[in-house]
Structures are given as C-alpha cells and as structure tokens.
Amino acid sequence: MTTINDRIKILVDHFSDGNNSKFANEIGVSEANIRNYISKTEPKFSALEKIVKKFEINYEWLLT
C-alpha cells in the first residue's frame, strides 16, 4: 500500500527524472516543499490541485 508521499515521489521520478527542483518549478512550489511532501508532510489541497492539473493526474489515485 502506498501513501500520498510515495505517489508524489513516483510522479517526481516519472515527470521530472527524480529532480525535485524541476518538479517544484513545474507546479510553482518550492523544492523544500517537494522534499517534505516526499518524506513526511501531507501536502495542502492547493499543491495537490497544481499537481493534478499540470500533469493530468487522477485526483482519486493521488489521494488514495
């Protein structure tokens, strides 16, 4: 079972070749936020919305 943090890491790896800074720039957040999302912090809805819209990801998959 994967967590939202794991799924964000999967997206960073897939869309940005594992580069947190590149992914952060794509969605308009700081690289530190992406590091935190991957490690432990649950992202705010606004960050999730940016990810979903930018990369055309299914909300349900990302959240659950």
Side-chain angles (χ1 to χ4, degrees):
M1 185 170 145
T2 61
T3 65
I4 192 167
N5 309 86
D6 297 330
R7 289 185 292 278
I8 290 173
K9 175 64 175 155
I10 290 167
L11 295 174
V12 170
D13 290 344
H14 180 77
F15 290 107
S16 301
D17 300 320
N19 186 319
N20 292 347
S21 294
K22 182 178 175 184
F23 192 84
N25 287 334
E26 289 284 333
I27 64 167
V29 300
S30 74
E31 189 268 338
N33 283 350
I34 299 301
R35 274 197 325 264
N36 288 333
Y37 299 159
I38 290 171
S39 66
K40 61 184 179 242
T41 305
E42 189 168 312
K44 293 181 181 180
F45 179 78
S46 59
L48 296 174
E49 185 176 36
K50 290 176 183 181
I51 292 170
V52 167
K53 288 182 178 181
K54 175 66 181 178
F55 300 108
E56 299 179 356
I57 302 300
N58 181 292
Y59 268 113
E60 188 175 341
W61 174 81
L62 185 56
L63 294 174
T64 61

